[in-house]
Amino acid sequence: MTYTLFIGDRTYSSWSLRGWLMLEKFGLPHRIVEVGLYTGTMRRDLAPAAPAHLVPALLTPEGEPLGDTMAIAETLAERHPGAGLWPEDAAARMRARWLAAEMHSGFAALRSRCPMVLSHSYDGFLAPPEVLAELDRLQAIWAEAHARFGAGGPWLFGRYSLADAFYAPVAARIAAYGLPVGDAAANYVAQHLADPAFRRWRAEGLTVGYEPEPYAMDLPRLPWPGPEPVAARAVASGPSVNAACPFSGKPPTHFLKTQGVVIGFCNARCRDKAANDPEAFPEVSAIYHSVTKQA
């Protein structure tokens, strides 16, 4: 019962991030098909999901195609009622749907003026009045939802829900452009940036680059404001402490060193995504933690 999710580039495709979090955060089995948003192969790559023509698109385990993140969200919630995609409380569930729908159809100024970028942040971005107005709206609905429904947890409704998946790209925008928000909103943004699933998505996105870079701005750049990754670097050869790639189970051919430990992977992309943020991948961190614990 595995879903097939068609996504765009992880560093820039905010809608794809939403769709992936809907599956990843709730433990729904899935495989990924990457669509060439910037390489001219999008139409061909999406052909198996026709008539879907945008990302993300989903194929159900039965082979039924589905497009649009709102439709994907409601379909997954209907098919997996025990997975907790929406809050259990009826009033909270109603509010979570409202917030997700408002994100889905609104905040046009924030979307257009601040495209999602996960590789770095900008220094000196000046938000225009229409973006500032939308930030005020965001902070108001986040604060009210959390005050009424979020007791006992850091997410909008306490525990993670589909509403948070819809707002993860917004958190990334606030972080990347240094947008002015109050402490409560800043803490919510930081919660997204520190989330292991978000970090895994970003780490894999950093393995792919483009020239020219999409959405580049003529502003000084700063490091990404999320948690600082554990230091890791590619090395030319092993031996590695592991006999099989932690992602595929295949024999290691590419290697990285972190925490004094050499770990092997089956290809350069597996190695590089792990090197970008080792702690984001439990399969990787478990290897060097076990070695250092024995030492």
Side-chain angles (χ1 to χ4, degrees):
M1 294 293 290
T2 299
Y3 292 92
T4 300
L5 183 69
F6 295 77
I7 64 168
D9 183 272
R10 289 172 175 83
T11 301
Y12 306 104
S13 181
S14 58
W15 293 70
S16 295
L17 172 58
R18 285 190 204 173
W20 181 76
L21 287 170
M22 294 177 195
L23 296 161
E24 181 75 8
K25 289 293 293 184
F26 300 97
L28 304 182
H30 60 279
R31 71 180 189 94
I32 296 295
V33 175
E34 296 179 345
V35 171
L37 282 181
Y38 307 112
T39 58
T41 63
M42 181 172 177
R43 183 175 179 181
R44 183 190 70 198
D45 297 341
L46 273 176
H53 69 292
L54 298 171
V55 289
L58 191 73
L59 281 181
T60 69
E62 301 80 18
E64 191 67 29
L66 181 63
D68 190 276
T69 52
M70 203 72 216
I72 293 171
E74 290 293 5
T75 300
L76 292 175
E78 180 182 72
R79 290 169 64 97
H80 302 278
L85 281 80
W86 292 119
E88 291 183 14
D89 176 76
R93 187 165 62 251
M94 180 169 62
R95 181 63 59 88
R97 282 192 166 109
W98 174 6
L99 264 60
E102 183 163 345
M103 181 65 251
H104 185 264
S105 61
F107 303 102
L110 178 62
R111 294 171 192 261
S112 62
R113 297 299 187 96
C114 304
M116 191 181 82
V117 55
L118 302 181
S119 55
H120 57 270
S121 64
Y122 286 109
D123 186 21
F125 178 79
L126 297 177
E130 59 269 28
V131 170
L132 295 176
E134 291 184 353
L135 290 173
D136 287 344
R137 173 62 182 170
L138 279 168
Q139 293 182 87
I141 60 177
W142 287 354
E144 203 279 337
H146 192 263
R148 183 174 174 190
F149 302 109
W155 301 105
L156 292 175
F157 296 87
R159 64 169 180 78
Y160 197 96
S161 75
L162 286 174
D164 299 298
F166 272 78
Y167 283 97
V170 175
R173 287 175 162 99
I174 291 172
Y177 296 89
L179 299 178
V181 295
D183 290 345
N187 290 337
Y188 180 61
V189 168
Q191 186 71 25
H192 279 286
L193 270 56
D195 181 65
F198 184 99
R199 290 171 64 176
R200 287 194 296 275
W201 174 272
R202 178 176 178 269
E204 184 142 7
L206 294 177
T207 65
V208 180
Y210 298 96
E211 185 60 44
E213 180 185 303
Y215 313 120
M217 291 191 172
D218 188 20
L219 288 171
R221 297 187 177 192
L222 298 171
W224 181 249
E228 185 174 355
V230 170
R233 61 182 177 86
V235 293
S237 62
S240 59
V241 297
N242 56 312
C245 174
F247 300 122
S248 70
K250 297 178 181 179
T253 55
H254 294 70
F255 305 89
L256 70 76
K257 188 172 185 178
T258 181
Q259 307 298 289
V261 177
V262 175
I263 303 175
F265 300 86
C266 66
N267 58 47
R269 186 162 182 180
C270 283
R271 176 200 63 200
D272 292 345
K273 72 180 183 181
N276 286 332
D277 194 348
E279 284 290 312
F281 299 96
E283 313 95 316
V284 176
S285 61
I287 294 172
Y288 61 77
H289 283 310
S290 66
V291 173
T292 54
K293 187 178 295 184
Q294 294 169 11

